[in-house]
């Protein structure tokens, strides 16, 4: 499941993952991992709303034409990247609030989710890059029956994991009770 | 642009708008208005995570099969509807935090956006039902070039509105300055 | 004081402890320990509102019939488990806000406590699983005089502990003053 | 369904509703209304943690012996009444955070819910006195099959109300769409 | 003290006041009033980070060259305008958090003040447009001795107003005491 | 119980009430009323930390020498007056967080209560000027047995008021139940 | 400067330091240290509002008669101790919000400072026990000229420390600049 | 680029960096580093609003006359230094909220940014001393074309850094994908 990266001359992968700094990659990588699990190709870019505003708008403006169909954008603090990308494209943009050293991501969340009427950003939880990847899959699956079936299998797998944990807890709780 | 409502025997409209109470309709109606502006059909349902949990899961579980492609779900307070609908469908679910009498929608926002890994909800701003409708259009437009062009025209229209307001402000500011 | 776990064919224990993931057990275990101190039997289950919604509703719907009389439910983030269990049972449901990596449990608290009229959840403090267990004992004790007397002894014990700490502080404070 | 009030020589009603000031009654009254709907008798008292601390402790200490089985306590701001009542009784105490002029009830909520280990308060939503009444019914119903059945009927009624609102929304949404 | 507005062919006034919508003008007008009090010319523009991102960057990029020396930018919610303008100019940018219908301006404040290292925004209080105007005067006065003297006189005037209010309070407090 | 105001040549009254603007008087007046109830004389001053910093420090520095024994200081927003007065006197300073148009007094509270080690401010609730007056009485009463007895009577009066309200609630609750 | 502790038959020391648990002593100890610096005697007690409510009220009710003149009370979470002590004494009560594992002391602060009209608590900063001790000294100094002079010397000492740090910073900043 | 420190007889450097304690230097140093990068001289002072209020006002009152043109002031908790300095000078004052042990800098931010009308403080992000230095450069550059060009080069440098990171991320993401 090799991702097509940004130097590819062929059509762009369907998901673009953008972030303001490579320091966001350890958080944002989980979106890429989720996409890989579904065999959905992606490209990852460092684009800064504040340091390279025009390059950021250029990338956003060209994305749909290049074949990108969903954008995942992560940013922290006064997090402007998701909203600015959304202003320059018709594609659905998923925003990931990246928590910084202070305020535990609350500033990131409010800066991303409280967009004015006209330009929506689909916001996920603080640090929730994995869910951003899964949301991108759901969006693509809305017009791709095979991907929709894969998501069904994934959700069944979540349920099975819960059943396994349920059984494991039974054993563990028995032991805790015996020993406690 | 008549909406197909819930008694329709024919295929479901592509967008389902659900809410926990009809008291949410004055907020959620803005999603329907936005969809109407793009000629996207919708159905509106009152489904309560807490009062009709099984009916809610049944609707969510059947939605994709009926032809729904995006769900918009609004709820307030300990707002569980968007996340519970998302748990029972593979469709992308857009959550609208409805502000209630206390806490100004902060409880609604956190209850919707902070979903655990595995089950994302695409959250918009507090009371941001219009943006929920526009986000649904963007999602549908990702596989519908005509709708994508309509969104481009809409965004151009937003820009023109700003230009008009800019001119109007010039006049208004001159007057304020002369009179102030 | 062995807990009756979930595979028991005999009547269910009076308290069911449910959580969305086994990662919540280190927090939720304190409820089981408190129940053990009063000789109240319990069962522990991993049931996820978001990953196994129907299994969760099934368990909740059957709990009263099986002999469960109080439910303790712990969850974090957009914490829907306590409220969803409450929607499917007539039993009193005690919610424990489990703190996650961000926001220090404030999202968990608001997602649990701010339930809409009609479906209450008895919420305790963030991470307050021990108090959830003690609240379950108080609820059972409301119709069990022996258990009520045990709670009286427990509360007397709390008072004695304070008296012991009071004496210990006197010595410690004297030393700190002499040495400081 | 006449409530037995505080001068009654006969056994106390099973639910005591206490509040720090009669200015809390417009909020707390909803608990009494809910109890009346289930035919559960109640008494209502103004008892102040801060203005009549000993009278408050006396009432709390005597409540179980008089026949009270559940206490509902409402308070606002630095809301100490629910926790102080809980310190002086073995009964389950339900706390209602009453919102005051500032901070929208957040101070009331935290002052009630964040109780230390040993003395739990079953906290409901800000201003959620109706849910406090319903929670008291659930607690009593845990040892009263007839009351449990009444709660089942009540919950079925909630579901029917949702169905009625669902139908009404369909009509209303059609009109809004036709006229909008 | 007529403001030079945006159609002026001559050099731009030293202060540019920008906002995302003309609905911000009732808040932002106070900045213009403060500048008028010091005889500092200004221009006012509606420029939207989200609806006209390129026009906004164009204005910001050209501002210094046109003669603008300080920018005052007001925005609300996910308030990106001040930070985006700051990204495209070397001028000092003063941000005014405009409070919207929810969250009382806290989202606006955090979205403006929490800028990443490299691109500062000089943030004033929620709704503090008058102070934004006064801060612009202080910045210009740092290289304009006459303006600095005017600011000194202004601050002396503030002190005199306090003295007047102090005397008025004495009378009023006497009356209140006599009548109370 | 006439207050000695600021022009008095005789010894200053024991309590000084200071505020940043006469617009704070409607809030702060409750402190004066409470002092009047105990026959404690006061003076009221408008002194601004930000507009008349030296006059404010001069008043604070001279207060103890003039006979003032307790200061009550009210301020809102970035509320610096109580802390600055405390920095220039050895007297106990009571701070009243005055709520302004935004943030409901939370900014005022934190700006007053979070003083660094070395310079304490005795902070009361948001808008709690009456309690500030009562706290001043308690401080004076710590070395004035007659005033201490008056405070005892006052607290007995509070308890009597609660008893009266308790009786009134009984009647009101009976009526509500009969009519509801 | 040996503190007179609680078993002393002679008159009580002028300051009583009370806390809900000996786990609060590491925080509260700073109040004792500050009092020692001024030669003010104190006693320290563990008294719990929730675990020993009557013993706590008894201590508070007897304090003034025993010779205590100021109470310092620390508590965390749903922090009821300072307010409850204040309800049972005419003495000034200083509240110290002790931060617990979650919410960083915000719950403690609001539970202490937001007292209803009639019963004030003089609240200091989160974890601010040293300032509580200094505030107690200021209150005692209001009727003790020698103690007032000691506080003047203390405040002069603070100023000297700042001057020393100012000089040290000059050297340090030079080095940083040379080496950076 | 040696900084001229406070003992210099020659004209003061254009930027004064002040803080309440030398413990703030590790945070505030980043402002000095940023100024050094632009060759802008600075002086650093420890001046406390609460411990040396008159010395602080004296420094602020003399700053403009000595040649200082911008002040950077850092403080934490009930952070009064920036606002008090602003009250005693006509210079632009930049406030840096320094985060302390509790509340993550939110108290510092609100205490600095929420200044009343008349006395603005240009507030940057929590802990954002580097941006404070850069904002001081922008203010000086508004009347210094050479400094303005240096800022343009600096901002170009930021853009180049983003491009470098963008390329590095491509490689890193490829590896993560291959190995993950």
């Amino acid at each position: 499941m090799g991702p097509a990266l940004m130097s590819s001359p062929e059509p762009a992968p369907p998901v673009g993952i953008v972030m303001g700094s490579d320091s966001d990659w350890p958080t944002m990588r989980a979106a890429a991992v989720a996409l890989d699990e579904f065999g959905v190709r992606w490209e990852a870019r460092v684009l800064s709303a504040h340091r390279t505003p025009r390059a950021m708008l250029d990338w956003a403006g060209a994305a749909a034409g290049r074949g990108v169909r969903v954008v995942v954008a992560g940013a922290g603090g006064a997090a402007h990247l998701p909203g600015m990308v959304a202003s320059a494209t018709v594609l659905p943009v998923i925003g990931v609030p990246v928590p910084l050293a202070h305020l535990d991501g609350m500033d990131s969340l409010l800066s991303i989710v409280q967009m004015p009427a006209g330009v929506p950003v689909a916001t996920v939880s603080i640090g929730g890059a994995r869910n951003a990847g899964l949301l991108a899959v759901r969006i693509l699956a809305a017009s791709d029956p095979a991907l929709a079936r894969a998501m069904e299998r994934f959700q069944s797998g979540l349920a099975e994991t819960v059943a396994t944990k349920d059984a494991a807890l039974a054993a563990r709780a028995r032991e805790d009770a015996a020993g406690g």
Side-chain angles (χ1 to χ4, degrees), chain A:
Chain A
M1 275 173 282
L5 281 143
M6 70 234 77
S7 56
S8 56
E10 71 264 37
V15 180
I17 303 174
V18 299
M19 64 209 81
S21 169
D22 56 353
S23 65
D24 295 330
W25 178 244
T27 296
M28 296 305 295
R29 190 178 169 275
V33 170
L35 292 165
D36 280 348
E37 290 172 14
F38 285 86
V40 174
R41 292 184 313 124
W42 48 271
E43 67 181 24
R45 297 294 306 269
V46 175
L47 293 169
S48 170
H50 299 122
R51 295 174 185 122
T52 56
R54 287 182 191 279
M56 177 268 296
L57 290 182
D58 288 346
W59 183 88
R66 288 175 55 235
V68 175
R69 293 179 52 206
V70 184
V71 179
V72 173
H80 300 179
L81 182 64
M84 292 309 301
V85 167
S87 77
T89 182
V90 297
L91 296 175
V93 176
I94 301 170
V96 180
V98 177
L100 300 188
H102 302 294
L103 302 187
D104 220 7
M106 185 54 89
D107 48 355
S108 318
L109 171 59
L110 295 177
S111 299
I112 292 175
V113 80
Q114 290 291 85
M115 288 290 289
V119 186
V121 169
T123 309
V124 295
S125 67
I126 297 171
R130 179 169 175 79
N131 266 2
L134 294 173
L135 180 56
V137 173
R138 286 188 182 224
I139 290 173
L140 294 172
S143 61
D144 179 340
L147 202 54
R149 282 192 298 274
M151 180 54 79
E152 274 172 20
R153 284 190 300 272
F154 171 81
Q155 291 181 257
S156 299
L158 290 179
E160 284 165 28
T161 304
V162 170
T164 306
K165 287 181 175 178
D166 188 21
L169 178 64
R172 188 173 171 189
R174 261 191 207 102
E175 284 166 30
D176 280 5

